[in-house]
Amino acid sequence: MTGTAVREKGRLRSALGWVAIAAAVIVFALLIGALSFGAPDSRGGLDPESAKGSGTLALAELLRDQGVEITVTRTRADAVAAIDDDTTLVMADPYSLSDDAVSALIEPARSTVFLSSASRLLRLLDLGENAAPPASGALSVGCDAPELANVGTVQPDRFFSPASGVEGCFTDDEAAGLLIAERDGVRTALLEGSGLLSNEHLAENGNAALGLALLGQTDHVVWYVPSFSDTDIEAQSPDTLATLTPEWVTPAILLLLLAGILAGISRGQRFGRLVTETLPVTVRASETMHGRARLTARAGDSAHAAAALREGSLRRLAARLGLAARSTPAEVADSASDRLRIPRGALHHLLDGPLPENDSELVDTARRLAELETAVDTAVHVERNTP
């Protein structure tokens, strides 16, 4: 083979390599575009204008049939402007608002109903704490609230321990599915409504009657829908090496790198053929992990293995959700529930509930943790690529 043929063959290989790189870039761009255009609608979870299974359009229409006027607002200013003396303020967990903004929003309302719960709301409103769900299914009212007398039975998804002066309804073993506080003429109610009042579950048990009883006590309902477009929380960028060093350091580093590259090009030699060399014996880092796993399996300690799996999942979920490394399991569960728009009760049980007692429950817990991490990673990836 002549030198010309060898050079032509080399050029062909180089051209094919560039074509492969260009094709990979195009495929990646198309994939990103598909994910961006296929991102889920921001409306949905407990939205009174959403007909999806997680929306509450059915409940809103039932209220209108009862003669209740509903004003749907998507900004705090519109919500405050629409509130009057005969108004019930309704909203899901205002995750995009600071504590001060939440307090300012509910201050002019004499009656406020929160349709989804969060640990922050329980603390901010001094309503109580999270509680473990009881073993029983559907529960009766179990409180003295007159508007709930004809509701019947419901099956709450999340339970709470009422604070002092807070009335708990749908109770079992001192755990309540609905909290009602009457303080200085201001009424506040909180429940986890995603499994009770959404379009998908409204026809079950006494859920529809519960929604009408909570939201239909006044002739006017102001329904505030929280979103990231209406937030008062300013993003804070962490300090980087560039912001902590003098301005001349970065140009100096770049100049030194450029000088090193030029020196390497001028002094370097052409690489020859690859030489096969016998590598020394190495010990894999994974052998320690496998050894500990074998010890745990031999001991049959399912709870210890599940605790290690849960700790790793909590650490990774906190990083993906932008939470602090020391965030509690309840905070991680609340944030993941808001991102995935799923009921909080199941996530609290998975991330902070009892540990499995046998290998079958351990396998199920590991599978559910892996599915949760995959779902959160996909949701965060979609949000970052949504224009």
Side-chain angles (χ1 to χ4, degrees), residues 40-363:
D41 189 358
S42 59
R43 298 186 182 184
L46 299 175
D47 192 313
E49 294 179 339
S50 174
K52 297 180 181 179
S54 59
T56 51
L57 178 60
L59 177 58
E61 292 301 325
L62 285 178
L63 289 169
R64 291 189 177 100
D65 291 341
Q66 297 297 319
V68 178
E69 179 187 358
I70 298 179
T71 302
V72 179
T73 63
R74 299 186 182 273
T75 64
R76 288 169 290 147
D78 292 343
V80 172
I83 296 174
D84 54 33
D85 293 337
D86 188 29
T87 295
T88 298
L89 177 62
V90 181
M91 72 185 81
D93 171 29
Y95 54 87
S96 60
L97 302 181
S98 64
D99 290 355
D100 293 338
V102 174
S103 300
L105 174 60
I106 65 177
E107 182 179 3
R110 294 186 177 180
S111 177
T112 304
V113 178
F114 289 94
L115 298 183
S116 64
S117 58
S119 301
R120 183 185 67 142
L121 288 178
L122 296 174
R123 170 187 56 80
L124 179 63
L125 303 175
D126 192 22
L127 295 177
E129 298 178 350
N130 293 305
S136 57
L139 301 174
S140 57
V141 176
C143 65
D144 297 330
E147 66 271 21
L148 302 178
N150 299 321
V151 168
T153 60
V154 299
Q155 188 169 353
D157 180 65
R158 187 174 179 183
F159 288 82
F160 318 94
S161 295
S164 176
V166 178
E167 187 173 18
C169 301
F170 304 104
T171 59
D172 187 11
D173 296 333
E174 300 182 355
L178 169 65
L179 300 178
I180 300 177
E182 291 273 2
R183 295 166 179 166
D184 300 328
V186 177
R187 180 183 178 87
T188 304
L190 180 143
L191 78 164
E192 180 57 49
S194 55
L196 295 173
L197 306 180
S198 60
N199 297 330
E200 182 180 1
H201 301 285
L202 189 63
E204 300 174 1
N205 300 321
N207 296 351
L210 174 62
L212 292 175
L214 289 176
L215 278 62
Q217 298 304 308
T218 59
D219 295 332
H220 185 208
V221 168
V222 174
W223 202 313
Y224 171 69
V225 182
S227 65
F228 286 111
S229 61
D230 181 48
T231 180
D232 65 323
I233 302 175
E234 297 182 359
Q236 297 180 354
S237 58
D239 292 332
T240 61
L241 181 62
T243 60
L244 296 176
T245 55
E247 296 181 355
W248 58 267
V249 173
T250 301
I253 293 176
L254 294 177
L255 184 61
L256 290 175
L257 289 176
L258 180 60
I261 293 173
L262 293 177
I265 294 175
S266 62
R267 306 277 301 178
Q269 298 179 354
R270 183 176 179 180
F271 292 110
R273 289 176 172 272
L274 295 177
V275 178
T276 303
E277 182 179 358
T278 302
L279 298 177
V281 177
T282 58
V283 178
R284 296 180 180 179
S286 61
E287 287 189 4
T288 303
M289 178 187 68
H290 289 299
R292 293 178 63 184
R294 284 192 292 269
L295 289 175
T296 303
R298 187 177 302 171
D301 191 356
S302 302
H304 183 272
L309 291 174
R310 181 183 288 177
E311 180 181 359
S313 295
L314 286 171
R315 185 174 61 255
R316 290 187 292 273
L317 287 171
R320 293 169 184 170
L321 294 169
L323 301 177
R326 296 183 178 180
S327 298
T328 64
E331 293 173 345
V332 174
D334 288 341
S335 181
S337 175
D338 289 335
R339 291 294 181 92
L340 301 178
R341 301 185 184 279
I342 60 177
R344 289 173 167 78
L347 294 187
H348 275 266
H349 183 75
L350 175 62
L351 298 178
D352 200 23
L355 295 172
E357 299 178 355
N358 52 56
D359 291 343
S360 176
E361 294 179 358
L362 173 62
V363 171

